[in-house]
Amino acid sequence: MAKKKGKKATKAPKVAPVDKTPEGKKKDVVSQPMPTEYFPSYVEAAWYQWWEKCGFFKPDFKDKKEEKDFESKFVMVIPPPNVTGTLHLGHTLMCAIEDTITRWQRMCGKKTLWLPGTDHAGIATQSVVEKKLMRERKQSRRDLGREKFLEEVWKWKEESGSHICRQLRRLGSSCDWTREAFTMDKQLNKAVKEAFCRMYEKKLIYRKARLVNWSCQLQTAISDVEVDKEDIDNPKFFKVPGHEKKVEFGVIHKFKYPMKEDPSRTITVATTRIETMLGDVAVAVHPTDARYKDLIGKELQHPLIPERKMKVIADDILVDPKFGTGAVKITPAHDHNDFECGMRHKLPFINLLNDDGTMNSNAGKYKGMKRFVVREKIIEDLKELGLYVGKDKNKMVLGFCSRSGDVIEPVIRPQWWVDCKDMARRSVEAVETGELEVLPEIHKKTWYHFLKNIQPWCISRQLWWGHRIPAYFIKIKGYNPSAEELKKGEAEGYIVGSDADANFWVAARDEAEATKKATERFSKCDAKDISVHQDEDVLDTWFSSGLFPFSTMGWPDNTQDVKEFFPGHLLETGHDIIFFWVARMVMMSLELMDVLPFKTVYLHPMVRDKLGRKMSKSRGNVVDPIHVMEGVSLQKLLDKIQKGNLPKSEHKSAMIAQRKDFPKGIPECGADALRYGLMTYMKQGGSINLDINVVVSCRHFCNKLWNATKFALSMFDKDFKVPKTSASELSEDAKRESISLINFVSCCRPTRSKFPKNDELKSASIADMWILNKLHKCIVDCGEGFTSYEFAKVTTATMQFWLYEFCDFYLEMIKPTFYGKDSTPEQKLCAQRTLYICIDAGLRLLHPLMPFVTEELWQRLPGRDHSESSQDSIMLSRYPMSSASKRWESSQTDALVKLAINVVKETRSLRERVKMLKSNKPVLYVKQAESAKDLSSVSSIIATMALASDVKLISDAKSITEASIRGITGEYEIFLPLKGVKLDELCLSYEKKLENIQALANEIVTKQNEAKYAKTPEHIKVRDKEKVAQYGKEAKTYEDNLRMFLSKMSAEERKVMHEGKIKTTTANIAKYKNALEALEKKLPDKSDKSYKKVYSKLTPKIKKAKNNLNLTTARLERLKTTDLK
């Protein structure tokens, strides 16, 4: 069957070879042929398992002795991801940065420990398991009971909780997994108990009934930093978890309270949360306000709870008589300002809410109803009573639970609190004095703001999963409180002997200790009457995370790891948890260890999409790192949206976004390209607006490394010996004699005097010297980038060296040495050694960023030990040092070759202008100015790179007899002979381009001359003006080229070409006339019903045909009047 015309045959996708290395064994790169190109799945197979099995990630891999010198070690703990988590781009960036730093420090010879772990994630994990139980068994946690439920959580953790760690391995994270920690481990639980008890004994942890941020959806208190606040300027409806209807916020309701003695007299109050009026106990007015002065102290009638006692009170702190009605309703148990007012006036604190956000018995007839349903019902009831005044828009700040999205409710509850003031002061001083470095420095402002304004930290959580609070409530049979105790309880608003009474709580490491402390505290009571019961609540997850830098080392025991690996050196994490975690680690370490947990804090930015938007499932712009590493089709991306937990109403917009961003899916890029791509964005400050195409380009970079190394391997003879000269350490000769590689005299010609007889590079060519100098610069830039945490500087330097210096130029420069007949064995050997040094050092420079491909290629270089027992790995080799490579530094060589490269670039530009074929290799003429540096020593480089048969340096252009095109770069004029170039075809091509560009410019100018153009928006006018200017520049370039081409043609050649153009143009006119007539014939008579429809369809085609005819006719007129001279 014949193939259909017009369709290109689709290439079959290339299949990656499959690596069959047994798990944990070293990959065999000798017997397996090197694949023709780079395949991430093949390259990234087997290496990680071998690294881990060999124990390369352990700090004592080579040296078992204790390292006491702080500077000879590098210690960092991982920000423990949630045990419920799956890999996202935030984790990926964190791992890319931390593994890069760790590998670099390891290659610099330091004893490194990057300690991994996971966080128990109290709220998140409990939620996951609760949903699983309900889905599979239709049971709640309360149906099971605490003990059985916790068994289910541990079971889930063992089965599914290590998924995130497997994904971290997939990225190449060189953590010491033998030390992997889990924040609920027995040892870490011991540390939590010890920390709590010590801080309790210092009175830094205390129990008190205060207002907390209550999440009704999660049924637990959360800390201030876990509340997301949103400014609301105008009325707005929000979806609140647990409520079917959206709830309106950004409004203020006004209603009246009648006086009990005279209901006809009322006081109008305003509130944004009218449902809290069920907990009102007073109305406050200013003591000097004449409107209410006579009402102070009198009782009010609560319209919905008749038995409620309320009165008018005077308060000059809370009330501003000029604001609103000058009267403020007081709900001490549900508002922070009212709480303080209630304490001042000893008012009752009436809690309205059950844990789930429904009303309790204090709400009267509204008991059992949801809080925002009650809001609507109260408005209806007040309207019926004639007490509802109305509502107005009101600017407000609304707090949301960062985990559930629920609207936060202030609720009074007895909880455990941490007094952070002194710890915060010390943490501020540490940064101010420079003892603790925070990078980038822009985050110091956030550090100071949070710690200088720190509030007591609520550490109680009403959950079952987590570290159960090591505090015990004391119960005493028949206890009779003293008058003093009763007086204190009344003053502080609690009942003596209740769970709000801090005196009836003790902190203890176990029940026996708690019982002992209780009997000592209440020594006058019979010990038999005393019992203790552990608090049902658990600690805030961040409490145990705050101990992570030293609890993971074995504290509170004085372990070997505590002695050797604490404190650490660096804490790297996202800037969004600077106060959640970083500040708390510093505070708790200073308090419990009296030392900073690390010396430097490096905070990475948030990863956003390429447009700078936060990634969200509803936008469809979330990128799964696994998809980037392994590749994914568009269909699978769309399927994931439909099968995920995104609401169906948002499927359409998310799928549109995916189709737009990834029309062909995401190609397989591998872990190396993803890591490197992310690191290219790592400049201090600002968000990362990730474009996946950047990662794809990094995958192409990996392929370039692959091909360059493959080429280099083909240049090494079987008997090639690895040079002793290295970029990682000085050779003995260099150390002893402290000589430079090459010295230059004023004429820039190398002299090789004072070289030791055994110098391996004594026959180095200028090309060799140039690339070694470039390698030195790359090493310097990488070192500076790592030490300053400017990782983008490292990626820029390595890409510049590999792509634009080594591959684009050096490999081309040395081909004549290997393939030519004029090179000597010594020159070839020197080129081989230089090639090896560059590949070896270049791979080492890249290894911290790209661990897999660099190991694969490094193992293929000559001189490697490929035995099964070999532990020869690039990750254990030394990182290139500028002190070793400085001997190759030569500004003179660099300047000279730079001039040669400029000549090459200009020549390539000339060749492109005249479309010269690669096979066409004319003699290249270069005219040097008198003051210019002589290029004779680099003429062979120019000839090779510029595809010239020879390079002739001239002083007078008149000596050139051939027709040539001229270019200029600096002090050099370049003349490229045009032999073999079809100038007539070039002229026709450029004329067509000129006409097209002039037509585009004329189209805009015509539009600008129309009267209605005056109404065009200003930004479009500016854009049009810029376009016309740009088209003018392009047209001038084409005209200049045309004149130049014509000037190189003989009169006869111009005449033949001109006649051909007239003939072609005449034929085109006839063609366009026929096409126009054919279209016009298709138009029916105007009286025909179909006229309008056909006319609208054909009009654009007729206009185009007329335009073509007019342009071609004008062209013919120009051709007829053209002076061929």
Side-chain angles (χ1 to χ4, degrees):
M1 193 178 204
K3 290 182 180 179
K4 291 182 180 178
K5 291 183 179 180
K7 285 192 176 182
K8 291 182 180 179
T10 55
K11 291 183 180 179
K14 293 181 180 178
V15 179
V18 177
D19 178 73
K20 297 178 181 179
T21 305
E23 188 169 343
K25 295 290 184 180
K26 186 174 184 179
K27 187 189 283 190
D28 180 7
V29 296
V30 178
S31 61
Q32 295 184 58
M34 188 172 184
T36 55
E37 62 182 89
Y38 168 74
F39 292 100
S41 59
Y42 172 79
V43 169
E44 294 174 6
W47 290 119
Y48 192 90
Q49 291 78 6
W50 177 64
W51 291 332
E52 190 173 357
K53 187 176 179 181
C54 288
F56 295 162
F57 305 156
K58 296 178 183 179
D60 53 357
F61 167 67
K62 282 187 175 179
D63 190 358
K64 302 288 183 184
K65 70 178 182 181
E66 180 183 346
E67 199 68 74
K68 293 183 179 179
D69 182 11
F70 183 79
E71 295 304 320
S72 64
K73 295 175 292 186
F74 174 75
V75 180
M76 175 173 61
V77 296
I78 200 170
N82 287 352
V83 72
T84 57
T86 54
L87 194 70
H88 57 62
L89 282 173
H91 296 135
T92 308
L93 177 62
M94 174 268 289
C95 279
I97 295 170
E98 294 184 18
D99 189 51
T100 294
I101 294 170
T102 303
R103 287 176 182 271
W104 175 67
Q105 294 280 7
R106 188 183 290 119
M107 292 179 76
C108 287
K110 292 190 179 181
K111 191 171 188 176
T112 60
L113 171 59
W114 181 22
L115 194 145
T118 49
D119 190 276
H120 64 276
I123 294 172
T125 305
Q126 180 164 311
S127 177
V128 166
V129 178
E130 281 192 271
K131 288 176 181 177
K132 182 175 182 286
L133 285 171
M134 186 55 66
R135 183 174 63 250
E136 295 176 359
R137 305 186 199 173
K138 304 298 179 189
Q139 286 182 311
S140 69
R141 62 184 167 107
R142 300 190 187 280
D143 293 333
L144 286 180
R146 185 172 191 140
E147 189 175 333
K148 291 288 184 185
F149 176 74
L150 290 178
E151 286 178 8
E152 290 295 326
V153 180
W154 277 106
K155 184 180 175 183
W156 176 89
K157 190 266 176 186
E158 295 305 318
E159 292 174 354
S160 308
S162 58
H163 182 63
I164 185 70
C165 292
R166 288 193 295 272
Q167 291 181 317
L168 296 182
R169 284 176 165 91
R170 174 71 181 83
L171 283 165
S173 306
S174 59
C175 307
D176 182 1
W177 293 104
T178 63
R179 285 178 165 85
E180 182 183 349
F182 177 51
T183 52
M184 284 287 285
D185 285 342
K186 189 175 181 179
Q187 178 59 40
L188 273 67
N189 179 253
K190 180 181 179 181
V192 166
K193 289 178 180 178
E194 186 66 28
F196 187 95
C197 290
R198 289 191 190 184
M199 293 171 77
Y200 175 82
E201 287 158 8
K202 286 187 174 183
K203 293 183 171 38
L204 293 174
I205 289 180
Y206 59 93
R207 188 170 179 84
K208 191 171 185 179
R210 294 170 55 104
L211 281 178
V212 297
N213 302 305
W214 190 261
S215 170
C216 300
Q217 180 71 7
L218 300 175
Q219 297 187 37
T220 183
I222 61 173
S223 66
D224 289 342
V225 292
E226 292 172 303
V227 178
D228 294 333
K229 294 180 179 177
E230 182 173 334
D231 292 315
I232 301 173
D233 296 329
N234 293 296
K236 187 176 180 181
F237 285 86
F238 288 86
K239 175 67 178 172
V240 179
H243 288 261
E244 293 180 6
K245 292 173 63 178
K246 287 187 175 182
V247 182
E248 186 181 29
F249 294 93
V251 294
I252 192 164
H253 301 273
K254 293 180 182 178
F255 67 96
K256 301 172 185 176
Y257 270 120
M259 301 303 298
K260 196 161 191 177
E261 291 180 357
D262 181 8
S264 65
R265 192 169 181 190
T266 60
I267 296 181
T268 301
V269 293
T271 177
T272 58
R273 299 156 63 221
I274 199 168
E275 66 277 9
T276 62
M277 63 89 68
L278 299 174
D280 284 356
V281 294
V283 170
V285 297
H286 198 275
T288 62
D289 194 332
R291 293 172 293 177
Y292 307 115
K293 203 166 187 179
D294 62 320
L295 300 180
I296 295 173
K298 292 185 178 180
E299 286 191 35
L300 293 158
Q301 178 62 58
H302 197 295
L304 302 179
I305 304 178
E307 65 275 15
R308 177 70 52 78
K309 288 185 178 181
M310 291 184 65
K311 62 181 180 180
V312 180
I313 60 171
D315 193 300
D316 60 355
I317 297 174
L318 179 65
V319 182
D320 179 358
K322 297 177 183 178
F323 183 77
T325 63
V328 180
K329 62 184 281 298
I330 305 298
T331 321
H334 292 285
D335 182 270
H336 291 279
N337 292 324
D338 295 2
F339 175 85
E340 299 297 333
C341 179
M343 294 295 290
R344 286 194 297 273
H345 295 274
K346 298 182 180 179
L347 298 172
F349 291 76
I350 301 172
N351 176 42
L352 296 171
L353 294 175
N354 294 314
D355 289 353
D356 63 356
T358 57
M359 293 290 171
N360 61 26
S361 58
N362 290 329
K365 66 179 182 178
Y366 303 98
K367 178 185 176 182
M369 296 172 66
K370 293 180 179 179
R371 66 197 194 277
F372 294 124
V373 173
V374 170
R375 176 179 290 188
E376 294 180 356
K377 188 73 173 83
I378 286 175
I379 293 171
E380 290 175 11
D381 292 347
L382 289 175
K383 283 180 178 178
E384 286 183 14
L385 295 170
L387 297 174
Y388 185 77
V389 177
K391 69 177 181 179
D392 295 309
K393 73 174 185 177
N394 179 70
K395 289 185 178 182
M396 64 184 294
V397 178
L398 192 62
F400 294 91
C401 172
S402 63
R403 296 186 179 275
S404 68
D406 193 12
V407 175
I408 291 299
E409 292 291 341
V411 175
I412 191 165
R413 285 182 180 274
Q415 304 277 273
W416 291 100
W417 303 82
V418 179
D419 180 359
C420 302
K421 284 186 179 178
D422 188 60
M423 292 185 283
R425 176 189 60 78
R426 292 183 69 185
S427 301
V428 167
E429 288 175 358
V431 174
E432 287 178 336
T433 59
E435 189 181 358
L436 177 64
E437 185 179 26
V438 176
L439 298 172
E441 292 196 354
I442 54 171
H443 296 298
K444 285 184 180 179
K445 185 178 178 181
T446 305
W447 183 267
Y448 294 142
H449 177 77
F450 172 68
L451 291 171
K452 288 181 179 180
N453 298 282
I454 201 161
Q455 297 298 312
W457 172 19
C458 176
I459 54 174
S460 298
R461 295 293 180 270
Q462 288 64 46
L463 304 169
W464 286 357
W465 173 245
H467 291 281
R468 195 167 172 184
I469 296 176
Y472 295 78
F473 181 60
I474 304 167
K475 288 187 178 180
I476 307 173
K477 288 181 183 178
Y479 183 75
N480 292 314
S482 65
E484 187 179 342
E485 286 176 314
L486 291 170
K487 184 178 179 182
K488 185 179 179 184
E490 184 181 357
E492 295 185 12
Y494 64 80
I495 298 170
V496 177
S498 70
D499 71 342
D501 186 349
N503 194 46
F504 277 74
W505 286 91
V506 291
R509 293 156 185 85
D510 53 39
E511 190 172 328
E513 184 184 347
T515 301
K516 182 184 177 184
K517 287 183 174 181
T519 54
E520 288 174 354
R521 182 176 296 178
F522 294 96
S523 56
K524 294 181 180 179
C525 298
D526 191 334
K528 294 179 182 178
D529 294 332
I530 299 174
S531 61
V532 294
H533 302 275
Q534 190 173 358
D535 195 336
E536 293 288 321
D537 291 349
V538 300
L539 287 165
D540 178 9
T541 299
W542 296 107
F543 188 90
S544 54
S545 297
L547 308 173
F548 202 73
F550 48 95
S551 64
T552 52
M553 302 298 175
W555 184 88
D557 301 327
N558 190 26
T559 63
Q560 185 63 32
D561 275 5
V562 170
K563 294 175 186 175
E564 189 170 0
F565 299 121
F566 184 83
H569 298 73
L570 174 69
L571 187 282
E572 192 286 329
T573 190
H575 70 79
D576 53 327
I577 57 172
I578 185 172
F579 35 75
F580 281 101
W581 188 46
V582 183
R584 285 166 176 166
M585 278 190 289
V586 172
M587 288 193 295
M588 296 178 85
S589 182
L590 287 171
E591 177 57 41
L592 296 167
M593 307 295 285
D594 199 32
V595 67
L596 287 167
F598 28 74
K599 295 296 182 184
T600 303
V601 174
Y602 180 76
L603 301 166
H604 67 245
M606 180 181 285
V607 182
R608 298 177 178 272
D609 73 4
K610 62 183 178 183
L611 300 176
R613 302 172 304 179
K614 188 175 181 179
M615 291 188 178
S616 70
K617 291 179 181 177
S618 59
R619 282 200 183 106
N621 62 349
V622 173
V623 176
D624 185 339
I626 300 297
H627 287 162
V628 180
M629 288 189 281
E630 299 178 358
V632 65
S633 66
L634 173 61
Q635 189 56 52
K636 285 186 178 179
L637 289 172
L638 301 178
D639 290 345
K640 187 175 181 181
I641 291 172
Q642 293 177 316
K643 292 175 183 177
N645 56 10
L646 189 68
K648 285 187 177 180
S649 59
E650 298 177 359
H651 281 191
K652 186 177 179 181
S653 59
M655 291 169 78
I656 288 171
Q658 293 275 276
R659 285 191 179 98
K660 182 180 178 183
D661 289 341
F662 311 113
K664 295 181 181 178
I666 301 174
E668 178 195 17
C669 295
D672 283 331
L674 178 55
R675 289 167 55 129
Y676 195 83
L678 286 168
M679 297 296 265
T680 62
Y681 289 93
M682 285 306 299
K683 299 169 184 174
Q684 288 198 15
S687 294
I688 292 176
N689 297 344
L690 179 64
D691 185 347
I692 292 302
N693 287 325
V694 172
V695 181
V696 174
S697 70
C698 292
R699 190 239 189 263
H700 297 323
F701 176 47
C702 290
N703 195 57
K704 196 79 171 178
L705 297 176
W706 188 267
N707 291 334
T709 307
K710 192 174 183 183
F711 169 80
L713 291 173
S714 69
M715 295 297 105
F716 299 129
D717 303 321
K718 287 183 179 180
D719 56 350
F720 173 73
K721 291 182 180 180
V722 174
K724 295 177 182 178
T725 305
S726 164
S728 298
E729 54 190 352
L730 289 167
S731 66
E732 289 304 314
D733 289 324
K735 287 177 185 175
R736 185 169 55 253
E737 302 193 27
S738 300
I739 61 169
S740 297
L741 174 66
I742 296 293
N743 295 316
F744 279 83
V745 292
S746 57
C747 66
C748 298
R749 293 186 182 275
T751 61
R752 292 174 172 78
S753 57
K754 298 183 182 180
F755 267 77
K757 293 178 182 179
N758 62 345
D759 190 288
E760 295 179 299
L761 300 174
K762 62 184 178 181
S763 298
S765 66
I766 289 183
D768 296 332
M769 293 184 283
W770 174 77
I771 197 62
L772 289 169
N773 174 66
K774 288 299 184 185
L775 176 61
H776 169 66
K777 184 180 185 308
C778 183
I779 291 169
V780 170
D781 289 346
C782 286
E784 291 174 354
F786 274 118
T787 52
S788 64
Y789 299 96
E790 291 279 357
F791 303 109
K793 188 171 186 176
V794 181
T795 58
T796 300
T798 50
M799 190 170 281
Q800 173 69 26
F801 173 75
W802 273 99
L803 285 187
Y804 307 116
E805 293 163 353
F806 184 72
C807 291
D808 282 3
F809 285 98
Y810 180 69
L811 292 184
E812 296 300 320
M813 289 176 186
I814 61 174
K815 282 181 180 178
T817 304
F818 289 110
Y819 301 131
K821 297 177 181 179
D822 300 330
S823 59
T824 65
E826 290 79 12
Q827 289 172 332
K828 184 178 179 181
L829 179 59
C830 196
Q832 286 176 323
R833 287 170 173 169
T834 304
L835 196 59
Y836 179 90
I837 290 168
C838 289
I839 295 266
D840 174 64
L843 291 174
R844 294 187 200 209
L845 288 168
L846 276 172
H847 177 73
L849 301 121
M850 292 178 155
F852 295 105
V853 70
T854 51
E855 182 75 271
E856 176 86 22
L857 295 174
W858 192 81
Q859 292 287 354
R860 293 179 181 275
L861 292 179
R864 301 289 170 253
D865 182 355
H866 298 295
S867 63
E868 279 192 23
S869 59
S870 166
Q871 293 188 333
D872 193 12
S873 171
I874 190 173
M875 70 179 292
L876 302 178
S877 67
R878 277 302 180 105
Y879 199 77
M881 303 181 298
S882 58
S883 58
S885 63
K886 187 169 177 63
R887 55 193 154 154
W888 299 327
E889 184 179 23
S890 173
S891 58
Q892 292 167 310
T893 304
D894 191 55
L896 188 62
V897 177
K898 185 179 180 180
L899 293 174
I901 288 173
N902 288 342
V903 170
V904 170
K905 286 180 178 179
E906 181 62 22
T907 306
R908 287 176 176 177
S909 176
L910 294 175
R911 291 181 68 100
E912 176 61 27
R913 281 170 66 188
V914 297
K915 308 299 179 190
M916 187 176 283
L917 298 175
K918 286 186 177 181
S919 57
N920 189 351
K921 297 183 178 182
V923 173
L924 186 68
Y925 298 92
V926 179
K927 180 186 175 186
Q928 301 180 146
E930 287 185 11
S931 58
K933 286 186 178 180
D934 181 24
L935 297 182
S936 57
S937 61
V938 289
S939 62
S940 60
I941 291 176
I942 295 172
T944 300
M945 303 298 293
L947 297 179
S949 58
D950 190 14
V951 174
K952 292 188 177 180
L953 303 175
I954 59 174
S955 57
D956 188 355
K958 291 178 181 178
S959 62
I960 304 171
T961 58
E962 303 168 81
S964 304
I965 183 173
R966 173 176 168 269
I968 297 176
T969 175
E971 295 183 282
Y972 305 93
E973 287 184 69
I974 299 153
F975 298 89
L976 178 68
L978 294 172
K979 186 179 180 181
V981 175
K982 296 179 179 179
L983 292 175
D984 56 341
E985 291 181 4
L986 272 175
C987 287
L988 291 172
S989 170
Y990 274 69
E991 280 181 355
K992 191 171 183 180
K993 290 177 181 178
L994 177 60
E995 286 179 3
N996 289 339
I997 210 77
Q998 286 174 337
L1000 289 170
N1002 290 336
E1003 189 179 328
I1004 295 175
V1005 172
T1006 302
K1007 185 173 67 173
Q1008 288 172 328
N1009 291 333
E1010 293 174 356
K1012 62 181 181 180
Y1013 189 77
K1015 298 179 181 179
T1016 302
E1018 194 59 36
H1019 71 279
I1020 294 178
K1021 287 182 178 179
V1022 171
R1023 186 189 66 191
D1024 287 346
K1025 187 177 179 181
E1026 289 173 351
K1027 278 187 177 181
V1028 170
Q1030 180 60 31
Y1031 292 151
K1033 288 179 182 178
E1034 290 179 28
K1036 187 176 186 307
T1037 301
Y1038 290 137
E1039 287 172 346
D1040 291 345
N1041 282 326
L1042 268 171
R1043 276 194 290 270
M1044 185 272 294
F1045 296 150
L1046 288 168
S1047 68
K1048 303 300 179 183
M1049 296 172 70
S1050 65
E1052 186 60 30
E1053 287 174 328
R1054 288 198 297 272
K1055 182 180 178 183
V1056 171
M1057 182 183 72
H1058 190 71
E1059 289 173 352
K1061 285 193 282 186
I1062 290 175
K1063 186 177 179 181
T1064 302
T1065 307
T1066 303
N1068 285 339
I1069 289 173
K1071 183 176 74 172
Y1072 292 139
K1073 276 183 179 179
N1074 293 336
L1076 181 59
E1077 288 173 3
L1079 288 169
E1080 288 175 339
K1081 283 179 182 179
K1082 289 181 181 179
L1083 283 173
D1085 192 84
K1086 289 185 179 181
S1087 60
D1088 195 304
K1089 290 181 180 180
S1090 63
Y1091 177 78
K1092 286 186 177 179
K1093 185 178 180 180
V1094 176
Y1095 179 80
S1096 63
K1097 186 178 180 180
L1098 292 178
T1099 296
K1101 294 180 180 180
I1102 291 172
K1103 281 185 176 180
K1104 186 177 179 180
K1106 283 183 178 178
N1107 187 52
N1108 286 337
L1109 180 60
N1110 291 336
L1111 286 173
T1112 311
T1113 304
R1115 184 167 187 244
L1116 183 61
E1117 291 301 316
R1118 285 200 306 274
L1119 288 170
K1120 288 180 177 178
T1121 57
T1122 300
D1123 185 0
L1124 292 179
K1125 295 180 182 179

